[in-house]
Amino acid sequence: MTTWTDHLCHQGARLTGTALAFADAATEARAAADATIAVPLLHLGVIRAVGPDSAPFLHNLVSNDVQKLAPDGAAWNSFNSPKGRMIASFLIWRETEGHALTLSADILPAFLKKLSMYVLRSKVKLTDASNDTLLIGVAGANAAAALQAAGLPVPSAGMKQLSNATGTRCIRIGDTMFIVAVAGDAAISLFDALVAAGAVKAGTAAWQLAMIRAGLPLITAATQEEFVAQMLNYELIGGVSFQKGCYPGQEIVARTQYLGKLKKRMYRVAIPVDAAPTPGADLFAPDFGEQSAGKLVNVAPAPDGGFEGLAVLQTSSAESGEVHLGSPDGVRLTLLELPYALG
């Protein structure tokens, strides 16, 4: 246990691996829906790329344009297999000496090892910075006010970032959603300041619900190499550049974009079950019979019971409105709105 997690436990947190909770699932879900929350993002980790070749090195490997990322910018991005299937999804931002990537902690060690294999003669150093740079998610109607009260500058637009004099970085990923990257020795005081400013202490599931409602997917070990970028609506949230040069999987991603109607998209769903469904679970629909019509991507408890999730589905199955979990006669899901149009 670290000083950070020890402090959180003294604040009432319960830890299960990288998952954290301050209250029961329903209470945390209601906080995510109705309040402003401050969440220690223990389920995410940070990779730091440092060196003069950081931008060209990453640019040649990922789906978005790293070379054109502004000094105050942040972007969704992905690393894909040669078949165009997403191995990792991540948020990337510029730093003084390179870049930082935040992704699911359960895939970080293997992804870092894979990424390091490409370094060769590039003047870039890749490290796991998860213990040095801690992440706190802040979301809700009063998120900006809480951040300002805690002494942080607040970016005025989405996918922008600002730092204060101590190097704490505030990244705006939505109208009312922020990720704060803070040095380990400053995380405790910042978290306490956010709570003192009115943010409700909340856990992993609360943040996951906020991300689901924002239509922002996260690749985890359960869903690696399952989806092409557009299946996760990645081009709709700014995670793909179709003007940049080649990268692993680029041909498949480009072909998916330009050759006909997309057959699969990501949807938000309500799942009326008591036990948490597993990411990667198969979904079924009458038009596909016994064959899987899609998979769950991310899942979190809903405020009024059951769960909400992001699910990749055949568009024809989604349009029919009848989708089942686990088997053709499994529990029926309800499609919910996303905050952006699927086009």
Side-chain angles (χ1 to χ4, degrees):
M1 185 171 291
T2 65
T3 303
W4 173 227
T5 53
D6 186 57
H7 176 74
L8 296 174
C9 289
H10 279 100
Q11 294 291 309
R14 302 185 306 277
L15 298 176
T16 306
T18 60
L20 170 149
F22 284 96
D24 62 84
T27 299
E28 295 221 339
R30 285 192 293 271
D34 302 329
T36 293
I37 56 174
V39 182
L41 302 179
L42 304 185
H43 68 296
L44 302 179
V46 177
I47 292 174
R48 180 157 285 117
V50 174
D53 290 345
S54 178
F57 168 76
L58 292 169
H59 182 85
N60 290 333
L61 293 174
V62 298
S63 65
N64 214 341
D65 195 323
V66 181
Q67 297 273 38
K68 293 183 179 178
L69 186 62
D72 66 344
W76 299 109
N77 216 321
S78 68
F79 179 85
N80 303 281
S81 73
K83 295 182 179 180
R85 300 281 166 157
M86 203 176 286
I87 292 173
S89 63
F90 53 90
L91 180 69
I92 184 172
W93 62 85
R94 284 273 298 271
E95 295 187 332
T96 304
E97 298 181 345
H99 300 79
L101 294 65
T102 181
L103 64 155
S104 183
D106 69 336
I107 65 173
L108 189 152
F111 177 58
L112 177 58
K113 183 177 180 180
K114 180 178 286 289
L115 209 58
S116 298
M117 293 170 60
Y118 291 89
V119 171
L120 302 176
R121 296 181 181 178
S122 297
K123 296 177 181 178
V124 61
K125 182 179 180 181
L126 304 175
T127 58
D128 182 348
S130 304
N131 292 328
D132 303 322
T133 301
L134 302 178
L135 303 174
I136 299 172
V138 185
N142 296 319
L147 288 161
Q148 288 172 331
L152 293 180
V154 175
S156 59
M159 306 314 289
K160 295 291 185 181
Q161 49 134 337
L162 291 171
S163 299
N164 66 9
T166 65
T168 299
R169 196 176 303 271
C170 182
I171 305 143
R172 190 169 200 151
I173 62 171
D175 290 343
T176 60
M177 292 187 71
F178 302 81
I179 290 178
V180 180
V182 56
D185 58 0
I188 290 173
S189 60
L190 175 60
F191 185 71
D192 291 350
L194 288 166
V195 174
V200 176
K201 295 178 291 187
T204 310
W207 182 257
Q208 290 172 328
L209 180 62
M211 291 287 284
I212 287 167
R213 291 186 164 188
L216 300 173
L218 179 69
I219 290 293
T220 62
T223 54
Q224 285 185 299
E225 298 194 56
E226 291 286 353
F227 312 117
V228 174
Q230 291 94 329
M231 295 180 189
L232 293 172
N233 304 344
Y234 233 58
E235 87 285 16
L236 301 180
I237 63 172
V240 182
S241 169
F242 295 104
Q243 286 73 48
K244 60 166 289 186
C246 293
Y247 57 89
Q250 181 265 344
E251 182 180 348
I252 305 299
V253 174
R255 186 186 305 162
T256 302
Q257 187 71 13
Y258 297 120
L259 294 182
K261 183 180 177 182
L262 291 171
K263 294 183 178 180
K264 286 185 176 181
R265 274 294 195 189
M266 186 180 73
Y267 299 85
R268 178 175 158 233
V269 296
I271 313 167
V273 294
D274 295 328
T278 304
D282 285 305
L283 304 174
F284 296 83
D287 60 330
F288 272 74
E290 299 289 326
Q291 182 182 348
S292 173
K295 288 181 179 291
L296 287 180
V297 183
N298 302 122
V299 176
D304 298 320
F307 294 81
E308 289 185 22
L310 294 174
V312 168
L313 289 167
Q314 295 283 343
T315 54
S316 60
S317 301
E319 288 164 2
S320 75
E322 185 176 346
V323 180
H324 299 266
L325 173 64
S327 66
D329 58 353
V331 65
R332 184 167 176 172
L333 312 186
T334 301
L335 269 65
L336 305 172
E337 290 187 358
L338 285 168
Y340 50 78
L342 293 181

